[in-house]
Short mmCIF file of all heavy atoms in Angstrom, two decimals:
data_model
loop_
_atom_site.label_atom_id
_atom_site.label_comp_id
_atom_site.label_asym_id
_atom_site.label_seq_id
_atom_site.Cartn_x
_atom_site.Cartn_y
_atom_site.Cartn_z
N ASP A 416 -3.36 21.01 -56.71
CA ASP A 416 -3.54 19.94 -57.69
C ASP A 416 -2.52 19.99 -58.84
O ASP A 416 -2.86 19.85 -60.01
CB ASP A 416 -4.96 19.97 -58.28
CG ASP A 416 -6.01 19.65 -57.22
OD1 ASP A 416 -5.75 18.76 -56.40
OD2 ASP A 416 -7.09 20.27 -57.24
N ARG A 417 -1.28 20.17 -58.49
CA ARG A 417 -0.25 20.18 -59.53
C ARG A 417 0.95 19.33 -59.03
O ARG A 417 1.26 19.33 -57.84
CB ARG A 417 0.21 21.58 -59.85
CG ARG A 417 0.92 22.31 -58.74
CD ARG A 417 1.14 23.79 -59.04
NE ARG A 417 1.89 24.43 -57.98
CZ ARG A 417 1.87 25.72 -57.72
NH1 ARG A 417 1.14 26.54 -58.47
NH2 ARG A 417 2.60 26.25 -56.72
N ALA A 418 1.57 18.65 -59.93
CA ALA A 418 2.75 17.86 -59.61
C ALA A 418 3.89 18.76 -59.16
O ALA A 418 4.08 19.87 -59.68
CB ALA A 418 3.18 17.01 -60.79
N SER A 419 4.67 18.32 -58.18
CA SER A 419 5.83 19.08 -57.75
C SER A 419 6.96 18.90 -58.74
O SER A 419 7.12 17.84 -59.35
CB SER A 419 6.28 18.64 -56.36
OG SER A 419 5.29 19.00 -55.39
N THR A 420 7.76 19.92 -58.89
CA THR A 420 8.90 19.86 -59.81
C THR A 420 10.25 20.05 -59.11
O THR A 420 11.28 19.75 -59.67
CB THR A 420 8.78 20.92 -60.92
OG1 THR A 420 8.67 22.21 -60.31
CG2 THR A 420 7.55 20.65 -61.77
N LYS A 421 10.22 20.56 -57.88
CA LYS A 421 11.45 20.73 -57.15
C LYS A 421 11.17 20.75 -55.63
O LYS A 421 10.07 21.08 -55.20
CB LYS A 421 12.20 22.00 -57.56
CG LYS A 421 11.44 23.27 -57.25
CD LYS A 421 12.27 24.50 -57.71
CE LYS A 421 11.49 25.80 -57.41
NZ LYS A 421 12.30 26.97 -57.80
N ILE A 422 12.19 20.37 -54.88
CA ILE A 422 12.10 20.37 -53.40
C ILE A 422 12.41 21.76 -52.90
O ILE A 422 13.23 22.50 -53.45
CB ILE A 422 13.09 19.34 -52.83
CG1 ILE A 422 12.65 17.93 -53.19
CG2 ILE A 422 13.20 19.48 -51.31
CD1 ILE A 422 11.29 17.53 -52.64
N GLY A 423 11.74 22.16 -51.79
CA GLY A 423 12.00 23.45 -51.18
C GLY A 423 12.90 23.32 -49.96
O GLY A 423 13.92 22.63 -50.00
N SER A 424 12.51 23.95 -48.88
CA SER A 424 13.37 23.99 -47.70
C SER A 424 13.33 22.70 -46.85
O SER A 424 14.23 22.50 -46.02
CB SER A 424 12.95 25.17 -46.81
OG SER A 424 11.58 25.02 -46.41
N VAL A 425 12.34 21.87 -47.05
CA VAL A 425 12.26 20.61 -46.32
C VAL A 425 12.76 19.46 -47.22
O VAL A 425 12.19 19.22 -48.29
CB VAL A 425 10.80 20.31 -45.87
CG1 VAL A 425 10.73 19.01 -45.09
CG2 VAL A 425 10.27 21.47 -45.02
N ILE A 426 13.78 18.80 -46.79
CA ILE A 426 14.39 17.70 -47.57
C ILE A 426 13.76 16.37 -47.15
O ILE A 426 13.78 16.02 -45.98
CB ILE A 426 15.91 17.63 -47.34
CG1 ILE A 426 16.57 18.99 -47.60
CG2 ILE A 426 16.54 16.55 -48.24
CD1 ILE A 426 16.34 19.55 -48.97
N PRO A 427 13.17 15.64 -48.08
CA PRO A 427 12.51 14.36 -47.72
C PRO A 427 13.52 13.39 -47.08
O PRO A 427 14.66 13.30 -47.52
CB PRO A 427 12.01 13.83 -49.07
CG PRO A 427 11.90 15.04 -49.95
CD PRO A 427 13.00 15.96 -49.51
N GLY A 428 13.08 12.69 -46.04
CA GLY A 428 13.98 11.76 -45.36
C GLY A 428 13.90 10.33 -45.86
O GLY A 428 14.70 9.49 -45.42
N TYR A 429 12.97 10.07 -46.75
CA TYR A 429 12.72 8.68 -47.16
C TYR A 429 13.90 8.09 -47.94
O TYR A 429 14.45 8.75 -48.84
CB TYR A 429 11.46 8.64 -48.04
CG TYR A 429 11.11 7.27 -48.60
CD1 TYR A 429 10.21 6.45 -47.94
CD2 TYR A 429 11.65 6.82 -49.78
CE1 TYR A 429 9.83 5.23 -48.45
CE2 TYR A 429 11.30 5.58 -50.31
CZ TYR A 429 10.39 4.79 -49.64
OH TYR A 429 10.06 3.56 -50.13
N LYS A 430 14.26 6.86 -47.61
CA LYS A 430 15.26 6.10 -48.35
C LYS A 430 14.58 4.83 -48.84
O LYS A 430 13.72 4.29 -48.16
CB LYS A 430 16.47 5.77 -47.47
CG LYS A 430 17.26 6.96 -47.00
CD LYS A 430 18.52 6.55 -46.22
CE LYS A 430 18.19 5.81 -44.95
NZ LYS A 430 19.38 5.49 -44.14
N PRO A 431 14.94 4.30 -50.03
CA PRO A 431 16.11 4.59 -50.82
C PRO A 431 16.08 5.86 -51.69
O PRO A 431 17.11 6.32 -52.16
CB PRO A 431 16.25 3.35 -51.71
CG PRO A 431 14.88 2.81 -51.79
CD PRO A 431 14.22 3.11 -50.49
N GLY A 432 14.91 6.45 -51.94
CA GLY A 432 14.87 7.65 -52.75
C GLY A 432 13.44 8.06 -53.00
O GLY A 432 12.50 7.43 -52.49
N TYR A 433 13.21 9.09 -53.78
CA TYR A 433 11.86 9.59 -54.03
C TYR A 433 11.74 10.17 -55.43
O TYR A 433 12.75 10.45 -56.10
CB TYR A 433 11.48 10.65 -53.00
CG TYR A 433 12.36 11.88 -52.99
CD1 TYR A 433 12.09 12.96 -53.83
CD2 TYR A 433 13.49 11.96 -52.17
CE1 TYR A 433 12.91 14.08 -53.83
CE2 TYR A 433 14.31 13.08 -52.18
CZ TYR A 433 14.00 14.15 -53.03
OH TYR A 433 14.82 15.25 -53.04
N LYS A 434 10.50 10.34 -55.86
CA LYS A 434 10.20 10.96 -57.14
C LYS A 434 9.08 11.97 -56.95
O LYS A 434 8.07 11.67 -56.31
CB LYS A 434 9.77 9.88 -58.16
CG LYS A 434 9.50 10.42 -59.54
CD LYS A 434 9.10 9.30 -60.50
CE LYS A 434 8.77 9.85 -61.89
NZ LYS A 434 8.34 8.76 -62.82
N LEU A 435 9.24 13.15 -57.51
CA LEU A 435 8.24 14.19 -57.40
C LEU A 435 7.06 13.90 -58.32
O LEU A 435 7.25 13.65 -59.51
CB LEU A 435 8.85 15.55 -57.73
CG LEU A 435 9.92 16.03 -56.73
CD1 LEU A 435 10.64 17.25 -57.29
CD2 LEU A 435 9.33 16.35 -55.39
N VAL A 436 5.85 13.94 -57.76
CA VAL A 436 4.64 13.51 -58.50
C VAL A 436 3.46 14.33 -58.09
O VAL A 436 3.55 15.25 -57.27
CB VAL A 436 4.33 12.02 -58.23
CG1 VAL A 436 5.50 11.12 -58.59
CG2 VAL A 436 3.94 11.80 -56.76
N ASP A 437 2.30 13.98 -58.62
CA ASP A 437 1.01 14.44 -58.13
C ASP A 437 0.42 13.26 -57.32
O ASP A 437 0.19 12.19 -57.87
CB ASP A 437 0.08 14.81 -59.30
CG ASP A 437 -1.27 15.34 -58.85
OD1 ASP A 437 -1.63 15.15 -57.70
OD2 ASP A 437 -1.96 15.94 -59.71
N MET A 438 0.18 13.47 -56.05
CA MET A 438 -0.25 12.36 -55.18
C MET A 438 -1.62 11.80 -55.57
O MET A 438 -1.98 10.70 -55.16
CB MET A 438 -0.28 12.87 -53.75
CG MET A 438 -0.01 11.80 -52.70
SD MET A 438 1.59 10.97 -52.85
CE MET A 438 2.67 12.26 -52.26
N ARG A 439 -2.35 12.51 -56.39
CA ARG A 439 -3.65 11.95 -56.87
C ARG A 439 -3.46 10.67 -57.65
O ARG A 439 -4.40 9.88 -57.81
CB ARG A 439 -4.34 12.99 -57.76
CG ARG A 439 -5.04 14.11 -57.02
CD ARG A 439 -5.84 14.98 -57.94
NE ARG A 439 -6.50 16.06 -57.24
CZ ARG A 439 -7.70 15.96 -56.64
NH1 ARG A 439 -8.33 14.79 -56.68
NH2 ARG A 439 -8.22 16.98 -56.03
N GLU A 440 -2.24 10.47 -58.16
CA GLU A 440 -1.98 9.27 -58.98
C GLU A 440 -1.91 7.99 -58.15
O GLU A 440 -1.94 6.91 -58.71
CB GLU A 440 -0.69 9.47 -59.77
CG GLU A 440 -0.72 10.59 -60.77
CD GLU A 440 0.60 10.70 -61.53
OE1 GLU A 440 1.02 9.69 -62.13
OE2 GLU A 440 1.21 11.78 -61.51
#
Side-chain angles (χ1 to χ4, degrees):
D416 295 321
R417 66 189 183 202
S419 293
T420 57
K421 63 179 181 179
I422 292 298
S424 59
V425 181
I426 307 301
Y429 178 95
K430 296 185 296 184
Y433 61 88
K434 182 180 178 181
L435 294 170
V436 302
D437 182 343
M438 209 60 73
R439 282 186 180 275
E440 296 181 55

